[in-house]
Amino acid sequence: MTGGGESLPNMLPVVLVPVGTDDMALDACLAALDAATPPATRVWLVDDAQAGPRGVDIVQRWLQRTPLQADYTRRPHAAGEVAHLDEALRACGDADVAVLAGDALPAPGWLTQLAACFARDASIASATPWCNTGESAGWPRVDPQPPPQELAALSRAAAALPPTHPELPAAVEHAVLLRGSARVKAGGLDTASYASWYAALTDLSLRLSGLGWRNALCETAFVARLHEGAP
């Protein structure tokens, strides 16, 4: 607390990271998250009984050294990707939450830029950054590309773009900031109809759009990913 106001990390959204089975991808994701995110940002790793012993060890070692305000929870038995994510999002109440894929590599400034996107336009319910495998949010092309080598330089270039935040057909799962009040109004994720986060996020985006909210591209932010998402 400084000068009677909140510090930047406390004003930033919560970051929610679903932990997967790929240990190497998880290790790279956590290292990139440390490097690209302001210290003391709230991060919650949610494990739907997916990580093996090595993955759990990676998480525990990361928790001991990360500058972020991080927590880790693990279910004893898998509930399913969508049900588990919906449970975690509901636990966050109406807070804004950035869901980051467990194999994503966020570029510096990614979360600050996503938060600024929300601040510019109160009608935006989901903000998606550029990605090398993001399809409708893909850069430099919509077909999958290898992760860029110079994430810091790319983030500076993205941050210099005019923040017009054009409409997307739906949010994309590599990284998405969800406005908590809009998500609550839309009823959260449809856990009865969808098994994958990819499909459930598309459905949520359509319902948000139907309620008058916008699904926008945050062209001032970039988050790389090792693999293409799929339903």
Side-chain angles (χ1 to χ4, degrees):
M1 199 74 76
T2 58
E6 285 188 303
S7 63
L8 178 62
N10 288 331
M11 294 167 58
L12 289 174
V14 177
V15 178
L16 190 64
V17 183
V19 175
T21 58
D22 189 330
D23 300 338
M24 293 182 64
L26 175 63
D27 198 17
C29 175
L30 296 179
L33 190 61
D34 277 348
T37 313
T41 297
R42 295 163 296 171
V43 177
W44 184 11
L45 306 186
V46 290
D47 185 352
D48 189 30
Q50 296 299 301
R54 184 171 182 273
V56 173
D57 182 60
I58 287 171
V59 170
Q60 295 298 338
R61 285 188 284 109
W62 177 77
L63 288 171
Q64 293 174 9
R65 66 175 186 269
T66 181
L68 305 174
Q69 185 180 322
D71 290 298
Y72 170 60
T73 56
R74 176 182 171 86
R75 290 182 61 90
H77 305 287
E81 185 176 45
V82 176
H84 185 52
L85 265 176
D86 187 62
E87 180 181 64
L89 287 168
R90 288 182 185 277
C92 294
D94 62 357
D96 297 342
V97 177
V99 183
L100 181 71
D103 64 344
L105 303 170
W110 73 287
L111 189 61
T112 304
Q113 292 293 342
L114 286 173
C117 177
F118 269 19
R120 290 186 189 103
D121 187 345
S123 72
I124 295 176
S126 76
T128 302
W130 293 118
C131 187
N132 57 297
T133 62
E135 296 187 347
S136 60
W139 185 92
R141 296 193 298 274
V142 295
D143 54 308
Q145 305 294 311
Q149 295 296 314
E150 297 294 336
L151 276 179
L154 186 55
S155 72
R156 290 193 295 270
L161 291 173
T164 60
H165 306 318
E167 195 87 14
L168 289 177
V172 191
E173 66 162 343
H174 58 277
V176 57
L177 178 58
L178 297 172
R179 192 179 295 275
S181 57
R183 176 183 50 78
V184 171
K185 185 175 180 181
L189 304 182
D190 184 347
T191 60
S193 302
Y194 301 100
S196 73
W197 169 228
Y198 183 107
L201 180 59
T202 300
D203 170 75
L204 176 62
S205 299
L206 293 172
R207 285 187 282 120
L208 289 168
S209 180
L211 290 170
W213 302 88
R214 296 183 61 226
N215 301 293
L217 172 69
C218 182
E219 67 268 67
T220 57
F222 190 95
V223 171
R225 194 174 187 187
L226 298 176
H227 308 291
E228 179 71 77

